[in-house]
């Protein structure tokens, strides 16, 4: 039996993009900081990372599609924060954003790591943006590194 598994080593010329919504900026800024820190700590040069800021989570899939189709990035780390409100708007945005991001990954073959938080209240987001539940931006960046390595091995 052959086992294929990725690790955190990436090709020297690998480029990454971090896409992040500005909506709930206090949360998304912390997620971006975690992702950037993780990439740097794992040997990815700052000039090999592009950061793209967008208005909200709804806009993330279309920007991800453009970047993934361009071929300049080995993985996209997508970050945002959708907090439940009093209407169904939350479900539409969170669910369709996730579906759009998966479609981009499947259509292009570029790993698209979904670090868009969908939470009940702001305190839940704070816990996942550097609080008691860690930093989901960092976790998405680690997954991006592993996926780039794994896809290289699967060639």
């Amino acid at each position: 039996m052959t086992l294929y598994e990725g690790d955190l080593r990436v090709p020297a010329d690998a480029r990454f993009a971090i896409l992040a919504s500005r909506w709930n900026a206090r949360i998304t800024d912390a997620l971006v900081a975690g992702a950037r820190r993780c990439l740097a700590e794992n040997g990815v040069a700052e000039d090999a990372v592009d950061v793209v800021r967008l208005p909200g989570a709804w806009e993330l899939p279309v920007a991800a599609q453009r970047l993934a189709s361009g071929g300049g990035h080995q993985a996209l780390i997508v970050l945002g924060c959708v907090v439940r409100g009093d209407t169904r708007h939350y479900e539409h945005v969170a669910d369709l954003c996730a579906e759009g991001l998966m479609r981009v990954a499947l259509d292009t073959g570029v790993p698209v790591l979904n670090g868009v938080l969908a939470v009940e209240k702001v305190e839940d987001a704070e816990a996942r943006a550097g609080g008691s539940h860690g930093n989901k931006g960092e976790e998405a960046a680690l997954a991006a590194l592993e996926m780039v390595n794994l896809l290289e091995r699967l060639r």
Side-chain angles (χ1 to χ4, degrees):
M1 174 179 92
T2 303
L3 172 66
Y4 294 95
E5 192 171 46
D7 60 35
L8 301 180
R9 292 175 290 172
V10 296
D13 61 346
R15 294 194 57 77
F16 296 84
I18 298 171
L19 292 80
S21 65
R22 289 190 306 269
W23 196 262
N24 294 312
R26 188 168 50 85
I27 301 299
T28 59
D29 289 350
L31 295 172
V32 170
R36 292 181 71 183
R37 184 173 52 252
C38 175
L39 292 174
E41 288 172 355
N42 285 282
V44 178
E46 187 174 337
D47 63 355
V49 179
D50 295 317
V51 178
V52 179
R53 297 307 292 249
L54 300 112
W58 187 257
E59 293 79 21
L60 290 167
V62 71
Q65 177 71 37
R66 177 69 53 97
L67 289 174
S69 297
H73 299 93
Q74 279 63 47
L76 307 179
I77 301 160
V78 183
L79 308 170
C81 179
V82 183
V83 180
R84 183 178 297 279
D86 295 329
T87 68
R88 291 200 48 212
H89 182 72
Y90 162 89
E91 283 92 359
H92 295 302
V93 173
D95 293 349
L96 293 175
C97 176
E99 286 181 29
L101 295 175
M102 179 55 73
R103 184 173 133 204
V104 170
L106 293 173
D107 288 352
T108 66
V110 174
V112 178
L113 291 299
N114 184 354
V116 178
L117 304 178
V119 297
E120 295 295 319
K121 54 189 185 230
V122 173
E123 293 80 15
D124 297 333
E126 291 168 343
R128 289 160 178 77
S132 62
H133 292 287
N135 187 305
K136 300 306 175 187
E138 178 181 347
E139 292 176 19
L142 283 171
L145 292 168
E146 185 174 342
M147 286 301 297
V148 168
N149 181 273
L150 177 61
L151 291 179
E152 283 292 316
R153 291 177 183 205
L154 292 176
R155 282 185 183 222

